[in-house]
């Protein structure tokens, strides 16, 4: 049974959305747990290394022959992850995984990669497995540092506040899938804290249906040194990009785990395809309702602590 706290939380979140179909998340900065941090000096070295990688990449991209750019992009993405202090772990659960290798698809084979969304680091993590373009928020192009990477990766911008633009985005994704590109997207439509999730919205799955392109479901989570789920990379609520970046750079022993679930064929119904992909990536995850209960409990504990001081 839904509690009063859940009802209030959901009502407040929905009221803040610009339209009824806008994806929303109850996650906020209170969901982000504080973990042991590295020193300021080490975090500064990580920041300098990450910026150096990002500044060097556009030049390397230009001088690298097209046939070798995919490998160069993956190496740069992995180097950027290491510079940020994030380790990468890939778990492949697909049939014939040994023949496919730890990648989304063979070169020249179009595939739509569907993944839950936690924060800005997700794009770098997914590109570290195999380079791909992304459907991402339109203002990502204007972000400091990450905007350069987004332009090189040929990001397909989406403005979720403007529903009338959605058919154009679906058409653009479809054309690029038909041309044999790998396109990643985040069908939850917004970020969650990393220990909870939202429903996979079916709209962009239409591009796979229209072009009969297979979908690669991906389960992404961040783990601490003990293998527990970490919310440090979450970019949620009132978080600023700078705060989120600093938090990641100061994180200790952070691992990004990418689980490649069995590939789903497109079929003829985008809603049914979205449901299949959701089942594929939801192992060991919390539901929206369960997260609302935990979030309410966290707020009550925080309020009690403040009152007792």
């Amino acid at each position: 049974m839904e509690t009063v706290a859940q009802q209030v939380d959901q009502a407040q979140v929905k009221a803040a959305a610009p339209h009824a179909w806008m994806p929303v998340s109850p996650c906020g900065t209170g969901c982000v747990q504080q973990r042991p941090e590295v020193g300021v000096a080490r975090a500064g070295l990580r920041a300098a290394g990450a910026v150096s990688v990002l500044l060097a990449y556009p030049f390397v991209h230009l001088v690298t022959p097209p046939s070798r750019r995919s490998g160069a992009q993956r190496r740069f993405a992995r180097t950027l992850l290491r510079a940020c202090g994030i380790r990468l772990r890939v778990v492949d659960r697909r049939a014939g995984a040994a023949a496919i290798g730890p990648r989304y698809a063979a070169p020249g084979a179009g595939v739509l990669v569907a993944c839950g969304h936690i924060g800005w680091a997700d794009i770098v993590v997914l590109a570290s497995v195999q380079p791909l373009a992304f459907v991402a928020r339109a203002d990502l192009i204007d972000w400091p540092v990450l905007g350069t990477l987004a332009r090189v990766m040929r990001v397909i911008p989406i403005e979720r506040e403007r529903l009338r633009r959605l058919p154009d985005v679906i058409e653009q994704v479809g054309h690029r899938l038909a041309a044999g590109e790998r396109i990643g997207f985040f069908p939850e439509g917004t970020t969650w804290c990393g220990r909870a999730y939202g429903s996979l919205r079916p709209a962009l799955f239409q591009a796979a249906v229209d072009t009969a392109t297979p979908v690669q479901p991906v389960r992404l989570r961040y783990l601490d040194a003990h293998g527990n789920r970490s919310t440090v990379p979450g970019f949620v609520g009132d978080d600023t990009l700078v705060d989120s970046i600093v938090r990641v750079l100061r994180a200790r022993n952070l691992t990004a785990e990418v689980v490649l679930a069995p590939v789903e064929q497109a079929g003829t119904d985008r809603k049914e395809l979205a449901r299949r992909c959701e089942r594929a990536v939801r192992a060991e995850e919390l539901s929206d309702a369960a997260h609302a209960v935990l979030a309410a409990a966290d707020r009550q504990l925080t309020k009690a602590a403040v009152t007792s001081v």
Side-chain angles (χ1 to χ4, degrees):
M1 180 179 297
E2 190 176 53
T3 66
V4 173
Q6 284 176 251
Q7 294 172 350
V8 172
D9 289 343
Q10 294 302 317
Q12 290 175 340
V13 171
K14 291 178 180 179
H19 56 74
W21 294 98
M22 181 72 178
V24 292
S25 165
C27 294
T29 52
C31 298
V32 179
Q33 300 167 318
Q34 296 300 318
R35 297 296 187 188
E37 298 179 335
V38 301
V40 175
R42 187 173 178 183
L45 289 175
R46 286 179 175 180
V51 171
S52 298
V53 172
L54 288 171
L55 292 178
Y57 179 71
F59 172 75
V60 175
H61 179 81
L62 289 175
V63 301
T64 301
S67 61
R68 297 185 179 181
R69 283 179 180 171
S70 180
Q73 288 174 3
R74 185 176 68 172
R75 287 191 293 273
F76 262 85
R78 293 192 174 194
T79 302
L80 181 57
L81 270 189
R82 287 196 296 271
C84 292
I86 302 176
R87 299 182 180 90
L88 175 68
R89 177 190 301 160
V90 181
V91 180
D92 200 336
R93 294 181 176 170
R94 299 171 297 180
I100 301 172
R103 58 187 181 184
Y104 305 119
V111 65
L112 186 63
V113 178
C115 181
H117 202 8
I118 298 171
W120 56 267
D122 301 351
I123 290 179
V124 184
V125 171
L126 295 179
S128 297
V129 178
Q130 187 180 18
L132 68 170
F134 286 91
V135 179
R137 51 191 293 175
D139 64 345
L140 178 62
I141 302 295
D142 301 321
W143 284 11
V145 185
L146 288 175
T148 301
L149 185 62
R151 287 188 289 272
V152 172
M153 295 173 69
R154 299 178 62 217
V155 161
I156 300 172
I158 182 171
E159 297 178 82
R160 296 190 182 275
E161 299 85 356
R162 307 178 68 177
L163 283 176
R164 293 182 179 179
R165 297 284 183 89
L166 187 56
D168 294 335
V169 175
I170 295 172
E171 183 178 8
Q172 186 177 357
V173 173
H175 285 322
R176 291 175 63 169
L177 290 174
E181 290 194 43
R182 298 177 297 272
I183 306 292
F185 79 120
F186 304 106
E188 289 170 316
T190 188
T191 52
W192 289 67
C193 66
R195 64 174 181 173
Y197 63 85
S199 299
L200 303 192
R201 302 300 180 98
L204 287 178
F205 284 97
Q206 186 64 44
V209 172
D210 291 342
T211 57
T213 299
V215 179
Q216 172 61 70
V218 171
R219 180 161 64 95
L220 169 61
R221 61 179 185 169
Y222 296 91
L223 307 174
D224 62 20
H226 305 290
N228 299 318
R229 194 184 308 271
S230 173
T231 59
V232 167
F235 183 34
V236 292
D238 297 327
D239 236 351
T240 67
L241 178 59
V242 172
D243 287 342
S244 179
I245 290 175
V246 170
R247 190 167 59 242
V248 170
L249 291 175
R250 296 205 63 184
R252 188 187 298 275
N253 298 320
L254 192 62
T255 298
E257 182 184 74
V258 176
V259 178
L260 303 177
V263 172
E264 298 288 341
Q265 298 305 314
T268 58
D269 186 336
R270 69 173 182 267
K271 292 183 179 179
E272 191 268 338
L273 174 58
R275 285 194 294 268
R276 283 190 279 128
C277 290
E278 187 163 342
R279 288 195 297 268
V281 302
R282 288 318 182 204
E284 302 175 8
E285 299 283 5
L286 289 175
S287 68
D288 188 353
H291 175 266
V293 172
L294 287 176
D298 285 346
R299 283 192 292 273
Q300 290 298 325
L301 289 173
T302 301
K303 185 183 297 183
V306 172
T307 303
S308 64
V309 171

